[in-house]
Amino acid sequence: MKKLLNTLFITQPDVYMSLDGDNIVLVKDKEQLGRLPLHNLQAVAAFGYAGASPALMGYCAERNISLVFFTMNGRFLARVIGESKGNVVLRKKQYRLSDDEMASAKIARNFIVGKIYNHKWMIERTTRDYPLRIDGAQFKEVSQYLSTIIKQVRDCEYLDTLRGLEGQAAISYNKLFDQMILQQKDDFYFHFRSRRPPLDNVNAMLSFAYTLLANDTASALEGVGLDAYVGFMHRDRPGRVSLALDVMEELRGVYADRFVLSMINMKVLNKDDFVKKENGTVIMTDEARRKFLKAWQNKKQEKITHPFLGEKISWGLVPHTQALLLARYLRGDLDEYPPFLWK
């Protein structure tokens, strides 16, 4: 159980939620785990829930407290709300800003600041930890270049310019990614990003990790009442979770890329976990996906201190905290959306 930004996160599986007076009561196997007043909560997010009493659902609906249900893996299931007050206002604000390219750029640049800042952190961390195994001068040069681009992004007012700056930063970062692979170099290498289809083992893993992260982020956005399909930097396209792709930009490096590197460098996966098809596409075997997913779920349980909130949370809750912060910004509770700047 964790309370963040007036939202109660229930991350233990099979917890039954009930109402006692003005309090939510959490019970598992007939044992009371917790009890918390509802009057200062805006939402309750339950993962792997056993159920919720009708009395609790009615209480929350009357007071506009969202009751959100996810699977233990983080997939969004449903959200129970009362009269659509704040949710309609929130989505209308999202749609208006999305239609305004300059307003969209103001929000999108913070996603990209977070992405480039975190890539710079990864480069500096690698330089510090493995000075004899990398080209230190090249790493320092790219780090300084990324600092310059961050300054330009902060002042950027146009989406096309922002996309150009993001692309320059990505090219510089990708040039170093192969050096961050420290083990199994004959079988795992990164020359360039190939998406559809992935053409090597590393790209196959990156594509899978980004898909998982996008799904987790889309679920988090739906959980706070935002439309995951209407973005600011990624424009509308049928079937694309554009806002999820926006928000996950700042998490690609420190969450997904670092995870893939750890799977390679710790030798969790090896060359036998991949199959190359006749058209050159590289795919993971079923067993490799199972190992990948198990490690991904374990990663989501690791504890960190959120750099903006200063609260200790699990990695799996990071997309949810960023979704909450974005919703607060859109509602006018924050002057600016605070990106996830890892330290």
Side-chain angles (χ1 to χ4, degrees), residues 156-258:
C156 184
E157 296 182 351
Y158 301 99
L159 283 175
D160 286 342
T161 305
L162 182 61
R163 293 188 185 101
L165 292 170
E166 187 273 336
Q168 294 174 37
I171 291 171
S172 298
Y173 166 78
N174 286 341
K175 285 180 181 178
L176 303 182
F177 194 77
D178 187 65
Q179 294 188 56
M180 298 183 197
I181 300 171
L182 304 173
Q183 301 290 338
Q184 308 186 84
K185 297 288 288 185
D186 290 340
D187 303 308
F188 293 91
Y189 46 82
F190 183 86
H191 297 154
F192 57 89
R193 180 77 178 107
S194 56
R195 297 174 177 83
R196 302 180 187 89
L199 299 177
D200 55 59
N201 298 346
V202 174
N203 273 292
M205 296 173 73
L206 288 173
S207 292
F208 194 32
Y210 293 155
T211 298
L212 294 175
L213 182 56
N215 289 337
D216 288 347
T217 307
S219 291
L221 292 165
E222 292 289 346
V224 301
L226 288 166
D227 189 333
Y229 289 84
V230 178
F232 300 111
M233 180 170 174
H234 292 83
R235 308 312 285 171
D236 296 350
R237 183 185 298 172
R240 183 170 75 174
V241 284
S242 296
L243 186 59
L245 296 178
D246 282 352
V247 175
M248 69 177 273
E249 287 290 358
E250 59 207 73
L251 302 177
R252 283 181 185 268
V254 292
Y255 200 140
D257 292 2
R258 287 181 70 221

